[in-house]
Amino acid sequence: MRKLAGREKLRGPNEKVTKLYTPPSESVDVTDKSFPGIVLIPETEPPKALVAPQPHSLLALRSADFPKPSDIPFTGEYWMFKAPNVRPPQTSYLRKGTPLALSFVTTDHRPLSMEAHQKLDHAIDLHCCRGIQIAISNIDRYPGTVTLEIVLIDSAAQRSESLGTADVTSKPDGRPWTGSRFPVLETLEFRIPLSTELREFNEIKVVFHRASLRMDRSARISIERFSLMPRTG
């Protein structure tokens, strides 16, 4: 797959590829040929106030009153960086866009860490929800090679809790061999354990795990929204 990825030229409408070069130092300027990391900011509307769902008893609910999930449109940042960094350095390449339209590859074939970070305007009680759904748009050309992990973070207590991983199983529409590809929507669900040391969270981190043969290339997947699923019972 690596040889194939090296030979192929990414094609398709509005698709761009940027190569990551190893910088001589952390203070290197951001140029077309040298930068130590990537920060992408989607062009979105300002987030609305989030109201967390309240736990409900199944015995007290009618079908018409069944609680609905609370949606959180993704308005955060996408991070891409190489070890030993744990986040993009201050001299990283910054621009508006999403991984759906922009692709990145390391020319030295070192693994490229890829994350998405969504900060919340206030902390959410973890016991409000039975799970979190994540809606994504997928136009990645290597199906079956991406797994997403959700990590809930309480920055005040400096604690975090992983909700595990889920495979991305969707495939873009169109004919990939002709460069004609169209994104497809997919929803993944992550369960929140009943017993956890994390009491609340004010940030959601999504880690894009990719197969070892394409760890040097970013995933062409963007996040549309998170949905907090109310706990019932």
Side-chain angles (χ1 to χ4, degrees):
M1 182 179 291
R2 172 173 290 181
K3 292 182 179 179
L4 177 63
R7 291 197 305 265
E8 283 185 336
K9 292 183 178 179
L10 295 182
R11 296 176 295 176
N14 301 322
E15 184 173 353
K16 299 178 181 179
V17 178
T18 303
K19 297 180 179 180
L20 292 179
Y21 290 78
T22 304
S25 68
E26 287 292 315
S27 60
V28 68
D29 292 335
V30 177
T31 68
D32 291 339
K33 293 186 177 182
S34 180
F35 43 88
I38 304 292
V39 176
L40 296 180
I41 303 175
E43 299 185 25
T44 57
E45 298 180 358
K48 298 180 180 179
L50 172 63
V51 178
Q54 298 297 319
H56 291 75
S57 170
L58 287 174
L59 297 176
L61 288 174
R62 300 175 301 172
S63 60
D65 298 329
F66 204 83
K68 297 181 180 179
S70 297
D71 289 341
I72 308 173
F74 183 75
T75 58
E77 297 178 350
Y78 298 95
W79 293 0
M80 285 166 254
F81 53 91
K82 295 187 293 185
N85 294 320
V86 295
R87 61 175 297 156
Q90 292 184 351
T91 52
S92 295
Y93 181 67
L94 172 66
R95 66 165 296 171
K96 290 185 178 294
T98 73
L100 200 67
L102 299 169
S103 181
F104 301 89
V105 60
T106 59
T107 57
D108 56 7
H109 302 297
R110 286 172 56 194
L112 177 68
S113 297
M114 182 175 179
E115 300 175 354
H117 289 256
Q118 175 70 56
K119 292 186 177 181
L120 307 179
D121 55 1
H122 60 83
I124 301 296
D125 187 340
L126 200 65
H127 293 94
C128 75
C129 311
R130 60 177 172 83
I132 297 180
Q133 290 183 344
I134 176 172
I136 61 173
S137 292
N138 177 22
I139 199 173
D140 196 81
R141 68 165 59 238
Y142 305 112
T145 65
V146 180
T147 298
L148 299 187
E149 177 186 8
I150 282 187
V151 180
L152 303 182
I153 299 173
D154 180 356
S155 59
Q158 296 185 342
R159 289 186 175 182
S160 62
E161 176 88 15
S162 174
L163 301 185
T165 61
D167 294 333
V168 176
T169 60
S170 58
K171 298 180 181 179
D173 291 331
R175 299 178 175 84
W177 56 90
T178 66
S180 174
R181 288 178 293 135
F182 306 96
V184 295
L185 295 176
E186 183 177 359
T187 300
L188 307 176
E189 184 165 345
F190 299 79
R191 305 291 295 183
I192 294 179
L194 291 174
S195 177
T196 172
E197 294 183 358
L198 193 70
R199 299 173 62 91
E200 59 184 18
F201 63 97
N202 60 359
E203 182 177 348
I204 304 174
K205 178 172 74 171
V206 180
V207 182
F208 293 74
H209 298 286
R210 285 144 292 139
S212 58
L213 292 179
R214 52 95 42 106
M215 275 294 294
D216 58 346
R217 184 180 294 273
S218 62
R220 298 283 312 281
I221 295 173
S222 67
I223 299 172
E224 301 299 325
R225 66 184 177 277
F226 303 98
S227 297
L228 305 181
M229 311 303 293
R231 191 183 299 278
T232 56

